[in-house]
Structure formats: structure tokens, C-alpha cells
Amino acid sequence: MEQKKRRPWRRWVVLVLLIFGFWMGRNFNPVMPEITVAPEKLIEEPIIENFLGTGPLYLVNTLPTLVVTLALILVMSYFTNRSLKKSQRTDLVPQGIGNAMEAILEMLYNLTEGSAGTKWVKTIFPWFATILVYVLFANLLKLLPGFETIGVLHHATGEGYQTVPLSGNWYLYVAGEGEYVLAPFFRGVSVDLNFTLALALISVLMTQVIGVRAQGGAYWSKFFNTRRMFKVPFFGAMDFLVGLLEIISELSKILSFAFRLFGNMFAGIVLVAVVVGLIGGISIIPAMLMLFELFVGLIQAFVFGMLTMVFMAQATQGHGEEHAEAH
């Protein structure tokens, strides 16, 4: 049988894109992004003067990203549900997005069942899968073209860049001393500490709720263990001190969750900006770093979800004397 001749046209496409990127980098000096920990304001005036008694609420560029993330998840859920219902009416074989999502969720379900057991898998799995999928979308959405590159211009309080008129109120943001800074319409929501802290609070709070559902009031003896305080004073005092350490450990999970995700995703922005500033027009290196960010986004979403699932599974298990008495 005669084999078809391979025509590696994809290599030529990549080569042409690399040459084009090199030419663009040499002729149009890229603007260095403004590295800020806090999200940028899209408008200077607050949208709510006093939000829940905490002060003014501004429209920052992570809020539109949050809306887009939710919209994409809803769209994906709609088409997944549509695909699965179609397969039920025909040959019971899911295809397309329904097949992909069924395989992914089945893998996550089996992973949860292996850690939490059959009794609590249906309670823990929704939290584990929701957090993992949501964080994954939030991490990968910032890699799309247009994120952190298209936005509104504000007058700079310090150093700024130049603008070149394009059409109407549209301007090209170019390198060179000027009076403007760019506030992008979209910024990765995982690079907002408010988002990661909110997820961390949800994760830790629901871990305590599941622990109480599984063990009842005995769950709190993990933190306030006074059972042997009067029977064996020395060891009872040690148990009580260990319980206080458990409280510190639970509170530290909030900081660990929030800053791990925020720190890793924010480091990606800084790394790309530094490398672009060092190498200028060589476009292949930033492209490789974006692939590295893709990998980090996948890993961080999986780590956040897995830790949540493991802590919830541990909360359903008895500890110390209670676990021994149960057996």
C-alpha cells in the first residue's frame, strides 16, 4: 500500500509566525506592562459609594473577567448537557464536548471516591469539581489574546507612554515618553487576591461544615480537647495545647490557599514581562513562557482542588480516641 507523502506545512506556518513576530518586535518596540498587585480601576469614580459599610466599590478590571469566566462555564455546561441528552435519545454514546466532560468528571469522581469513600463522595465531589473547574477556567482565560493588552487610557501620575491615534477614540499604545498608562479591560482573576482569598474561605469553611455533618459535636473536640484534662492533668493539658495548634493550622490554610494561587499566577506575569524586556524582538521565548504559564495554570487548579478534597475527606474521619472508639 502506497504511503502518503507527508507535507509538514505546520512547520512553515510556525516559521512564518516567528519571522513576523521578530519583525514586529524590531519595528514596534513593545510597551512594558505596568506590574501592580492590586487590579487597575477602569473608571476613576466608584460605582457604589459605600459598599456594605466597607467604603467605595470601584469597577476594576478583574470584575469583567469574573463575568466572562462565569459566562463561559455556563455556555460549556449548556452544550455539555445538550450533548448528553442527545446521546441518551440516540445510541447512548456521548460525543464531542459531552464525551470530554464525562471523561473528566468521571476521573475526578473516582479520585474523590478513592480518598473520601463511597459514603461522602457525593457530598465532597461537587465542591472539589466546582473549585477545580472554576480555577482552571480563571487561570487559562488570561492566556487569551487581548487580555491585559486592550483597555482604557488614564493620565499617568508618574512615567507614562505615548499614544498614536487610530480611529475615533481608539489609540495605539506605543513605547516612548508620554502621559498615559493603560488599564486593561481584562485582567486574570486569579491574580486578584480578593478572588483567591474568597475561594480559600469557602474551602476552609465548607471543610468545617462537612466535618460537623460527619462527626457531629465531637468534631469540635479536635480544637478544644478537654476530655483528659482532669483525669490525667499533664496529658490533658498537652491535648488542649495540640487542639490550639489545630486552630492555628486551620486558619493558616486560608493564607496558604490564597497566597499559593495568587503568588504563582502573579509570578507568571512578572516573568513574562522581565523576559520580554530583556530579549526584545525575539518572539519565541515569550511564546515558550506562555506555554509554561499554561502548565502552571493547570497544576495550580489541580492543587487547589485536590487540597480542598483531601482536607474535606480528612474532616469526615474521626481522630485520636474518637477514631479508636469507632472501631
Side-chain angles (χ1 to χ4, degrees):
M1 184 176 179
E2 184 180 356
Q3 294 182 352
K4 293 183 179 180
K5 185 178 180 181
R6 297 182 59 186
R7 297 178 180 178
W9 57 272
R10 297 179 183 85
R11 301 176 186 176
W12 293 104
V13 172
V14 173
L15 180 60
V16 170
L17 291 176
L18 289 176
I19 295 174
F20 178 73
F22 183 80
W23 177 81
M24 289 287 292
R26 289 299 181 185
N27 292 274
F28 300 95
N29 191 18
V31 177
M32 291 296 296
E34 187 178 9
I35 306 298
T36 59
V37 175
E40 296 93 343
K41 301 175 184 176
L42 294 178
I43 54 177
E44 296 296 336
E45 298 78 15
I47 55 178
I48 300 178
E49 291 293 340
N50 190 8
F51 182 69
L52 301 178
T54 59
L57 176 65
Y58 292 92
L59 177 61
V60 295
N61 51 7
T62 52
L63 290 179
T65 309
L66 187 66
V67 174
V68 172
T69 305
L70 291 173
L72 288 177
I73 292 177
L74 291 176
V75 170
M76 183 193 68
S77 303
Y78 169 77
F79 283 105
T80 300
N81 184 52
R82 182 180 177 183
S83 175
L84 293 176
K85 285 185 176 180
K86 182 180 178 181
S87 67
Q88 290 177 354
R89 294 193 303 265
T90 55
D91 54 1
L92 298 179
V93 178
Q95 298 178 355
I97 188 173
N99 186 26
M101 292 305 300
E102 184 181 36
I104 294 173
L105 293 179
E106 184 178 1
M107 179 193 68
L108 297 179
Y109 187 88
N110 293 334
L111 192 62
T112 309
E113 187 176 18
S115 299
T118 56
K119 183 178 180 180
W120 294 102
V121 60
K122 293 184 178 180
T123 302
I124 297 175
F125 172 73
W127 294 100
F128 168 46
T130 301
I131 288 177
L132 190 148
V133 172
Y134 192 80
V135 174
L136 181 62
F137 265 79
N139 290 349
L140 301 186
L141 197 62
K142 65 186 289 292
L143 301 178
L144 294 178
F147 268 67
E148 302 174 354
T149 56
I150 301 175
V152 295
L153 294 173
H154 293 308
H155 286 280
T157 55
E159 296 182 358
Y161 291 95
Q162 297 178 357
T163 57
V164 177
L166 292 177
S167 176
N169 290 327
W170 291 88
Y171 295 86
L172 182 63
Y173 195 52
V174 296
E177 294 184 3
E179 56 176 331
Y180 293 100
V181 292
L182 179 71
F185 289 129
F186 300 101
R187 170 175 171 162
V189 69
S190 298
V191 194
D192 190 342
L193 190 57
N194 297 300
F195 171 77
T196 60
L197 181 60
L199 277 183
L201 288 171
I202 292 173
S203 174
V204 174
L205 178 62
M206 290 312 302
T207 299
Q208 314 311 314
V209 171
I210 291 175
V212 172
R213 286 184 58 187
Q215 303 182 44
Y219 176 75
W220 300 114
S221 64
K222 171 182 177 180
F223 306 108
F224 305 100
N225 191 350
T226 58
R227 292 193 174 193
R228 298 197 297 174
M229 182 68 71
F230 301 103
K231 295 180 180 180
V232 188
F234 177 77
F235 293 103
M238 294 295 294
D239 291 340
F240 183 76
L241 292 177
V242 170
L244 297 181
L245 292 178
E246 287 286 348
I247 296 177
I248 298 175
S249 175
E250 290 295 319
L251 294 176
S252 66
K253 289 177 184 177
I254 300 175
L255 297 178
S256 174
F257 272 130
F259 283 98
R260 180 190 293 110
L261 179 59
F262 168 78
N264 281 281
M265 301 310 297
F266 184 76
I269 296 178
V270 177
L271 179 63
V272 173
V274 170
V275 173
V276 170
L278 291 175
I279 66 178
I282 305 176
S283 58
I284 183 62
I285 304 299
M288 294 172 63
L289 289 178
M290 296 304 286
L291 289 176
F292 177 73
E293 275 206 76
L294 172 64
F295 175 75
V296 172
L298 289 169
I299 292 299
Q300 289 304 312
F302 186 75
V303 167
F304 201 109
M306 276 295 298
L307 288 176
T308 299
M309 185 264 289
V310 169
F311 290 145
M312 287 182 175
Q314 289 178 345
T316 62
Q317 305 297 323
H319 54 89
E321 296 177 358
E322 293 81 3
H323 186 64
E325 292 174 2
H327 284 281

